[in-house]
Amino acid sequence: GAGVSQTPSNKVTEKGKYVELRCDPISGHTALYWYRQSLGQGPEFLIYFQGTGAADDSGLPNDRFFAVRPEGSVSTLKIQRTERGDSAVYLCASSLTGGYTDTQYFGPGTRLTVL
Amino acid sequence: AQKITQTQPGMFVQEKEAVTLDCTYDTSDQSYGLFWYKQPSSGEMIFLIYQGSYDEQNATEGRYSLNFQKARKSANLVISASQLGDSAMYFCAMRETDNQAGTALIFGKGTTLSVSS
């Protein structure tokens, strides 16, 4: 079946602009995660959805970051007033139930560049 | 303290040889999962292998095996018969059950593996 997909693959924006990044998880997966990966580092957790609700948003760096998953499938990560420090690859992952033994499957990522 | 430590920034191996990528972890949980992912230059994170904290046997998946030493809190990845396509960044990750970040994965900084012919 289809894996996790993310759009766009690349996004270049100017400082201060608003951006939306989209994630389409594997069909039937109830758990969805967003991570951010800076150059030379491992991914860092941003937010976790179980169904439609954000079960844990403790990784969001500040209130400029927000994510939704209104129908329990597709999720959108929204960044307001972008800053150069937001430049990174944003990875989305999904898993079947969200349990600690569950494997998370990742999408190809969106590379965000803030000029 | 780092939760996941990968001490080898880069490793070099020749084709057909075996290589071990080191990973140590730190947790006070009894129930946790350990994962290895491969990230080629294309950027996608590819799941390789999983080991549960209660699993008594080391996990194996094809050419990948996980050398799990619970008392030492180590979960090294062994790749047998390396291939040129194995050249990539490899990440060790852990998920705890009692974690402020819910069931999110905690990643190490990764090891770059280079396979030569």
Side-chain angles (χ1 to χ4, degrees), chain B residues 1-77:
Chain B
Q2 286 188 345
K3 289 271 189 177
I4 298 286
T5 303
Q6 295 181 253
T7 57
Q8 307 153 315
M11 288 287 285
F12 297 86
V13 68
Q14 287 211 310
E15 246 185 323
K16 300 179 186 175
E17 291 184 350
V19 62
T20 298
L21 306 184
D22 294 342
C23 172
T24 57
Y25 59 92
D26 181 23
T27 182
S28 56
D29 279 3
Q30 296 302 309
S31 303
Y32 52 90
L34 296 160
F35 300 79
W36 277 91
Y37 286 84
K38 171 184 178 182
Q39 189 174 43
S41 55
S42 60
E44 189 159 358
M45 296 286 283
I46 301 167
F47 165 71
L48 296 178
I49 196 166
Y50 163 79
Q51 180 86 41
S53 59
Y54 295 113
D55 295 340
E56 294 186 351
Q57 291 195 333
N58 287 339
T60 61
E61 289 284 351
R63 293 187 299 111
Y64 305 108
S65 61
L66 201 152
N67 184 0
F68 181 46
Q69 297 186 41
K70 193 170 182 177
R72 296 179 60 188
K73 293 188 176 177
S74 121
N76 298 340
L77 176 70

Side-chain angles (χ1 to χ4, degrees), chain B residues 79-95:
Chain B
I79 306 175
S80 63
S82 297
Q83 301 172 357
L84 294 177
D86 294 335
S87 294
M89 178 77 90
Y90 289 80
F91 289 97
C92 178
M94 174 175 66
R95 184 189 292 147

